[in-house]
Amino acid sequence: MNGRTRLASIFTFLAAVSVACASLVSAAGNQPNILLIQADDLGFDDLSINGNTCSRTPNIDQLAETSVRFSNFMVNSVCSPTRGSLLTGRDYWRTGGEGLHGCKEFLHLDERTFANAFQDAGYATGMWGKWHNGKADGYWPWDRGFDDGYYAKLYQYFPSSGYYNGYPKQVVHEGEWSPKVLTDYTIDFISRNKDNEKPFLAYLSFLTCHSTWNTPDRYRNKYLKDGQSDTFATLLGMLEFMDDQVGRVLEHLSDLGLDENTVVVFISDNGPNKGGSKNHKGADVLSEAEWALRNNHGFLGSKSKLWQNGIKSPLFVRWKGRYRPADVERLVTVTDVFPTLLDIASIELPRDNPALDGRSIKPYLEGDTKSLDEKRAVFTHWHPTWEGDHYDPLQDKTALDAAKQKMTLINEHYKLIQNEYAVPGSPKHRKGVILIDLKADPMERTNVAETHPQIVRTMQSELKLWFSDVVGSFHSFTPTVFQIGWNGKASSEVLAFGPSKTVGVKNTSHVATGWDAVGDHAEYRIHVHRAGTYNVSLKRLAKKNETTAVVVVSCNGKEVRSKLKHTSSQLLGAMHLDAGEHTLRVEIAAIESGEPSSLQIKALKFDRS
């Protein structure tokens, strides 16, 4: 070994020791507890502290009044991208996630979540509620750094049900509403960890107020008496019900004497849902007058849009005795939460952690709003724009055209919007581009692109460079790799709606359909953790008088073949799987009778024999 190699080895060793010591110090030192509370589809204006004259959110308002409040906090426009960025501190499209549903929301298993980081540093970690970043072995919350996890069924407010620290056994909380159940889990976790030497990280993730709206009558009736419609009264009742639960957990912290050593963070995941989805049967449709009351500031857009009302979220950070309540107008984004929590807890990431896109805003919390450079951030539509349907597996990410993407680049003065949908009141685009002067026009009513061509060109170049960098990222736009035998489990599933390739088959949000001709097939990436013989079953939505077909499942030259029966679950046969990463193929080998009708396959199940 020469001198240069020896010196490099010494530096590598010292760096590893430094990271290990940092984790040990953070675990052993007097580190604060963390309580992260996230609402779902909660608009900035849904809170009474932000001027809403109809809603009643006194507990959240009180939290805000005792917190550092951020008036310019931006998230992604829909849930999975925001939650993926929150968990990783990275722009969502870098993480393996691509959108939501159809297995497009799964975070690459090499991504490290904030739960992993805090768990490695000696924290007790728990989360309860909405997850939406993977629902298969390896991707559940308890697989991503949480010691305690309750994956709540979406969007079942009553009775709450889900999976607690494992799948597939379901837990049903008979007679209990979701907001209370999630808070009960959180309170129990805090109680169990209050006397531990190690601090805790608790992530309370409400389903409120995602549609279809529902709440106990005692909350709804308050607003019916105020003269509100049943729909609006239900929404307002949901907000008050959640607010009561926030009050419960904060009071519990106080009763245990923990509130002065607990950092409390409150955020939403995107803007408000305007309602009217055919899937929700109109149960969440507000009148124009009610919508105006809900959005008292008059921000443009709604959930799923890149206008302010789609991406603007409340952010409150409280640490009693440490952070003086204040209002901060500097731009902050959801990717900043992870590195800020790390900084507060004095935790360092290992050197092999994927690079974060966020930065610590700890100076803002401590009253210094001048020292950090101007923030620049990109937000995107909830799936990339390309020639195929957004649920189709993307075969060549390098073919994605940056100029066709719906994206927005925001800095602390301007916002460049590219290819975004028009909404009532929005300015006309100029060749697909809108430039907003946020300082002069925070309500986004005027396109100043024509009078600021150089700013447009510069920001367009930044967008193009960002997108090129994302496409070149190793984890970006990668299909889900399903785990067989994860952590020694004897039973595993491959979700049919997570293919890496399809021919003739149509992928949708929760099933793979279109299996109606010989040769139609889908391929899936799998990782077999333990070689052996597995019984293979098929789960599907069975229909009467559908095509009788023969299905073949193959992998590495082994296969099982079976004629499908008209049942929702069927054993196809046994096959040997080698350890390692492979491609699994499901194909229609023959159609024996009946009129052509598409099979709807939900999953393949593998039970080790």
Side-chain angles (χ1 to χ4, degrees):
M1 179 183 295
N2 61 35
R4 179 176 298 176
T5 304
R6 185 181 297 109
L7 188 60
S9 298
I10 291 172
F11 281 144
T12 301
F13 171 76
L14 290 176
V17 171
S18 175
V19 170
C21 289
S23 296
L24 290 173
V25 169
S26 64
N30 185 26
Q31 304 303 301
N33 304 308
I34 307 291
L35 171 61
L36 172 60
I37 304 173
Q38 186 170 36
D40 188 4
D41 286 11
L42 176 84
F44 183 87
D45 283 348
D46 277 326
L47 302 177
S48 47
I49 195 171
N50 288 333
N52 192 306
T53 59
C54 297
S55 66
R56 298 166 186 155
T57 55
N59 294 295
I60 299 174
D61 294 352
Q62 176 61 26
L63 172 63
E65 289 168 358
T66 56
S67 297
V68 181
R69 301 169 293 273
F70 293 84
S71 60
N72 200 15
F73 175 62
M74 301 295 163
V75 297
N76 290 288
S77 64
V78 290
C79 48
S80 297
T82 290
R83 293 164 190 275
S85 289
L86 174 68
L87 285 165
T88 64
R90 287 161 48 78
D91 291 333
Y92 182 64
W93 279 351
R94 296 189 196 277
T95 68
E98 186 180 321
L100 67 158
H101 301 309
C103 290
K104 299 289 189 177
E105 69 271 37
F106 284 51
L107 299 179
H108 196 287
L109 289 183
D110 286 346
E111 293 286 324
R112 183 177 279 105
T113 70
F114 64 73
N116 292 132
F118 277 83
Q119 188 181 61
D120 291 345
Y123 273 67
T125 58
M127 80 79 56
W128 313 272
K130 180 168 179 174
W131 177 245
H132 224 315
N133 284 121
K135 52 181 179 179
D137 286 342
Y139 300 92
W140 300 104
W142 45 86
D143 296 325
R144 305 309 298 257
F146 291 101
D147 303 318
D148 195 83
Y150 175 65
Y151 178 102
K153 183 178 179 181
L154 306 180
Y155 293 95
Q156 186 166 311
Y157 291 103
F158 183 85
S160 179
S161 68
Y163 305 105
Y164 180 63
N165 288 341
Y167 174 85
K169 185 178 180 180
Q170 191 171 25
V171 177
V172 179
H173 297 271
E174 296 290 353
E176 296 283 357
W177 287 82
S178 171
K180 181 179 180 297
V181 168
L182 304 183
T183 305
D184 287 344
Y185 274 118
T186 307
I187 287 174
D188 175 67
F189 174 81
I190 291 172
S191 296
R192 285 187 283 114
N193 289 282
K194 66 182 177 64
D195 295 324
N196 285 350
E197 292 184 2
K198 59 184 182 180
F200 63 77
L201 168 76
Y203 176 23
L204 170 55
S205 181
F206 288 109
L207 311 183
T208 308
C209 42
H210 194 288
S211 56
T212 298
W213 296 332
N214 196 10
T215 198
D217 287 341
R218 68 182 184 276
Y219 287 96
R220 181 187 296 106
N221 289 341
K222 291 183 182 181
Y223 297 93
L224 290 175
K225 291 179 181 178
D226 289 346
Q228 307 295 358
S229 70
D230 183 73
T231 300
F232 199 23
T234 301
L235 169 64
L236 294 171
M238 290 180 74
L239 291 169
E240 186 174 347
F241 188 14
M242 179 181 69
D243 181 80
D244 281 350
Q245 302 312 306
V246 171
R248 281 182 63 216
V249 70
L250 295 180
E251 184 178 18
H252 189 68
L253 284 177
S254 181
D255 290 344
L256 295 180
L258 297 175
D259 54 352
E260 292 192 357
N261 195 36
T262 301
V263 177
V264 180
V265 180
F266 180 89
I267 64 173
S268 183
D269 64 350
N270 47 248
N273 181 12
K274 195 169 184 179
S277 166
K278 63 181 180 181
N279 295 327
H280 301 141
K281 302 177 182 177
D284 51 7
V285 179
L286 299 178
S287 69
E288 288 301 317
E290 290 168 334
W291 181 247
L293 286 172
R294 186 180 182 189
N295 299 284
N296 48 278
H297 279 95
F299 295 120
L300 290 183
S302 59
K303 174 184 177 179
S304 81
K305 306 299 189 296
L306 296 176
W307 302 99
Q308 293 296 79
N309 207 29
I311 63 176
K312 185 180 178 69
S313 165
L315 170 62
F316 311 133
V317 182
R318 187 190 80 178
W319 190 357
K320 283 191 173 182
R322 294 290 190 97
Y323 299 152
R324 181 176 298 176
D327 291 297
V328 176
E329 297 180 356
R330 298 292 304 272
L331 177 62
V332 176
T333 71
V334 65
T335 57
D336 296 330
V337 176
F338 184 1
T340 301
L341 294 179
L342 291 177
D343 196 6
I344 290 172
S346 301
I347 297 173
E348 294 185 23
L349 291 174
R351 294 177 64 184
D352 65 345
N353 195 89
L356 303 189
D357 291 297
R359 63 178 180 179
S360 172
I361 58 163
K362 186 179 176 183
Y364 297 164
L365 301 174
E366 295 175 339
D368 173 10
T369 60
K370 304 294 185 182
S371 62
L372 291 183
D373 293 336
E374 181 182 63
K375 175 80 177 185
R376 311 175 81 80
V378 177
F379 293 105
T380 63
H381 189 57
W382 62 271
H383 61 81
T385 300
W386 56 299
E387 285 71 19
D389 183 82
H390 64 271
Y391 289 128
D392 292 344
L394 181 61
Q395 297 302 296
D396 180 12
K397 65 180 182 178
T398 64
L400 292 171
D401 186 350
K404 294 181 179 180
Q405 305 306 313
K406 293 179 174 63
M407 301 188 289
T408 181
L409 172 63
I410 305 175
N411 58 44
E412 298 192 19
H413 193 156
Y414 292 101
K415 177 177 181 179
L416 182 78
I417 308 172
Q418 175 181 288
N419 301 325
E420 174 63 334
Y421 297 112
V423 298
S426 63
K428 293 182 179 180
H429 68 82
R430 182 175 181 269
K431 298 181 179 179
V433 173
I434 294 172
L435 181 69
I436 303 293
D437 182 339
L438 292 171
K439 290 188 175 181
D441 179 26
M443 307 310 292
E444 304 181 292
R445 296 306 198 265
T446 304
N447 183 4
V448 297
E450 192 167 358
T451 56
H452 294 78
Q454 185 56 50
I455 292 174
V456 170
R457 285 193 292 269
T458 299
M459 294 183 77
Q460 282 181 317
S461 296
E462 288 185 55
L463 264 183
K464 187 174 181 180
L465 285 172
W466 176 88
F467 188 72
S468 177
D469 187 55
V470 166
V471 170
S473 299
F474 178 71
H475 294 172
S476 66
F477 306 118
T478 51
T480 302
V481 179
F482 293 98
Q483 310 297 305
I484 307 295
W486 174 265
N487 284 344
K489 287 186 67 173
S491 181
S492 307
E493 285 186 351
V494 172
L495 299 177
F497 47 95
S500 59
K501 181 180 179 181
T502 57
V503 173
V505 174
K506 180 175 176 57
N507 196 43
T508 68
S509 59
H510 293 92
V511 295
T513 187
W515 313 75
D516 52 13
V518 174
D520 286 351
H521 66 270
E523 295 179 356
Y524 301 86
R525 293 178 61 191
I526 63 172
H527 182 176
V528 180
H529 292 264
R530 181 178 173 183
T533 300
Y534 290 80
N535 292 318
V536 184
S537 301
L538 184 142
K539 297 167 67 175
R540 65 190 179 106
L541 300 176
K543 296 181 179 180
K544 293 181 179 180
N545 303 319
E546 67 183 353
T547 299
T548 300
V550 176
V551 170
V552 175
V553 178
S554 60
C555 182
N556 276 4
K558 310 291 194 308
E559 70 174 43
V560 292
R561 178 185 298 257
S562 182
K563 181 191 297 185
L564 293 184
K565 303 173 183 178
H566 298 299
T567 59
S568 59
S569 180
Q570 177 181 342
L571 176 65
L572 303 180
M575 66 185 300
H576 181 85
L577 293 176
D578 297 322
E581 292 204 7
H582 309 291
T583 297
L584 183 81
R585 181 177 172 121
V586 183
E587 183 172 0
I588 300 295
I591 294 178
E592 296 195 348
S593 64
E595 295 295 321
S597 62
S598 297
L599 303 173
Q600 298 187 72
I601 301 178
K602 296 173 62 178
L604 292 168
K605 186 180 178 185
F606 292 81
D607 295 304
R608 193 167 62 243
S609 60

